[in-house]
Amino acid sequence: MSQPVAKVSLTGIKPTGEPHLGNLIGAIRPALQLAEQYDSVYFIADYHALTTVRDPELLRHYSRSVAATWVAAGLDPKRTTFYVQSDVPEIFELNWVLSCVTGKGLMNRAHAYKAARDRNVEAGEEPDAGVNMGLYNYPILMAVDILIMESDVVPVGKDQVQHVEYAADIAGSFNHLYGKSYSFKVPKAIIPDAGTGHTLPGLDGRKMSKSYDNTIPLFLPENKLKKLVRRIPTDSTPVEDPKDPDSSSVFQILEQFAPPSAADVVADTRKRLEAGGMGWGELKNVLFEVLNTELGPLRERYDALMEPGSELDTMLAEGAEKARERAGRVLGSVRKAIGVGK
């Protein structure tokens, strides 16, 4: 009896900054857990980053950094198709094909485009000031990423569901026109459970985000990590007074980041804060020790992968070969369906 074919799960990572603690907790760990249940596909979305990153050296660095981060965090390229988007040229041919079956009205309603227009209107500027066609057409390229890998599911946050819905709509438009010859799979979004995809507080108490400049980079040297943790603001509650752990950003980071092996440390820290006698400075020391213990091995692996000519190059080259095999098969069927080529 043949084994059932595993469903395909696709995750794209846009390289627009240094990976930080919030990425690890909110995106990387949940995605790697899903990889155990699916035929998983991960890619570095370097062409998507072009809408905002215009420094070529920075884009190369971010792309390599993100790839090294995922491998250091536990992604296994032997079990997962792992590649850089720009290494799969079939994506960009299919992008034109699907642009030709996508209505402009659909693009007008895209959240990112509408948000940019709304900001301009509020500022008294022309609605489309500063809007490039990369931003406007972004949902089509994202749909191509999803459809060319024959994805069944796409794990996303709530704010990204529209992209998967657009991919489904665009697939439906193509299938309506050419379905007698070839039909795309219609993908579905998966939203991680509240207990899986966490929102981590940043240095200022708001959501940890590059846009707020409040992140804790994953691979800081030990001394810089310690200084950054010491910078997290706390209130002026005296050492001897009881404290509410759940109102403290420092404790929230500790609780969400600590591995199961440190559960006793977290529980003991909570009791001591609630009882009084533990100050915020001591809490920050506990957080630093847990962070450094966990991130130390990842930092070492990351640094090795970032070296020119490291095994990361082979991993990505082999991943691109696997991705191109799948993408070429899909694009060949599409070309035949639309009447292009032999």
Side-chain angles (χ1 to χ4, degrees):
M1 188 174 178
S2 61
Q3 292 288 327
V5 177
K7 288 188 174 183
V8 177
S9 168
L10 178 128
T11 298
I13 311 104
K14 190 163 68 169
T16 54
E18 299 289 352
H20 57 78
L21 210 59
N23 298 143
L24 183 66
I25 299 297
I28 298 175
R29 283 181 175 173
L32 292 179
Q33 289 171 4
L34 275 174
E36 299 171 7
Q37 307 167 35
Y38 293 93
D39 173 6
S40 55
V41 178
Y42 292 83
F43 71 97
I44 310 302
D46 54 346
Y47 265 98
H48 282 295
L50 276 179
T51 60
T52 55
V53 180
R54 301 299 168 81
D55 181 326
E57 290 304 317
L58 201 56
L59 181 57
R60 288 189 192 97
H61 169 75
Y62 285 159
S63 297
R64 189 172 186 85
S65 176
V66 170
T69 298
W70 280 74
V71 175
L75 184 145
D76 182 356
K78 293 178 181 175
R79 292 184 54 192
T80 297
T81 302
F82 184 49
Y83 59 97
V84 178
Q85 183 187 36
S86 57
D87 287 338
V88 184
E90 291 82 0
I91 290 169
F92 307 100
E93 181 175 344
L94 185 59
N95 186 61
W96 175 252
V97 175
L98 295 189
S99 295
C100 293
V101 301
T102 301
K104 179 176 177 291
L106 191 66
M107 295 298 98
N108 290 343
R109 296 190 292 275
H111 293 329
Y113 173 61
K114 287 179 66 179
R117 284 178 58 92
D118 290 345
R119 285 193 299 270
N120 286 335
V121 170
E122 286 176 15
E125 299 180 2
E126 286 293 317
D128 284 331
V131 174
N132 59 62
M133 290 305 293
L135 172 67
Y136 187 74
N137 291 326
Y138 193 97
I140 301 176
L141 183 55
M142 188 169 284
V144 173
D145 292 325
I146 294 168
L147 299 177
I148 203 164
M149 289 295 135
E150 302 174 298
S151 309
D152 295 285
V153 297
V154 183
V156 290
K158 289 181 181 178
D159 60 340
Q160 295 287 310
V161 170
Q162 188 191 60
H163 288 304
V164 187
E165 293 173 342
Y166 271 31
D169 288 342
I170 293 168
S173 297
F174 181 94
N175 294 350
H176 176 72
L177 290 167
Y178 300 109
K180 289 183 179 179
S181 298
Y182 178 76
S183 289
F184 286 108
K185 280 185 183 178
V186 178
K188 293 182 179 179
I190 291 181
I191 302 174
D193 294 335
T196 305
H198 294 286
T199 298
L200 202 68
L203 296 172
D204 58 2
R206 294 182 293 177
K207 174 186 175 182
M208 191 175 290
S209 171
K210 286 175 290 220
S211 59
Y212 295 147
D213 194 25
N214 67 352
T215 64
I216 299 177
L218 273 178
F219 304 114
L220 280 179
E222 186 173 326
N223 61 331
K224 291 186 177 181
L225 176 62
K226 191 167 191 174
K227 286 181 181 178
L228 205 56
V229 170
R230 301 295 298 181
R231 276 180 44 202
I232 303 175
T234 50
D235 62 31
S236 57
T237 306
V239 172
E240 63 274 11
D241 286 8
K243 300 167 185 67
D244 177 12
D246 296 320
S247 67
S248 163
S249 296
V250 183
F251 185 81
Q252 289 177 44
I253 295 171
L254 173 67
E255 188 173 51
Q256 291 193 36
F257 182 80
S261 59
D264 289 345
V265 173
V266 176
D268 180 63
T269 301
R270 174 182 283 278
K271 286 178 184 177
R272 292 184 60 205
L273 286 169
E274 291 173 340
M278 183 180 198
W280 296 127
E282 186 179 352
L283 173 61
K284 290 178 181 179
N285 289 339
V286 172
L287 174 60
F288 165 73
E289 291 299 335
V290 170
L291 287 175
N292 197 50
T293 298
E294 284 299 299
L295 294 178
L298 271 68
R299 186 190 302 130
E300 188 176 334
R301 176 73 168 135
Y302 171 85
D303 288 343
L305 290 166
M306 287 296 290
E307 287 293 322
S310 76
E311 62 185 303
L312 183 63
D313 297 325
T314 302
M315 292 174 183
L316 292 173
E318 291 176 350
E321 191 176 330
K322 286 166 62 179
R324 290 199 67 184
E325 184 179 335
R326 186 177 303 196
R329 184 174 67 247
V330 170
L331 183 61
S333 297
V334 168
R335 286 169 64 92
K336 183 178 179 181
I338 64 176
V340 169
K342 295 180 180 178

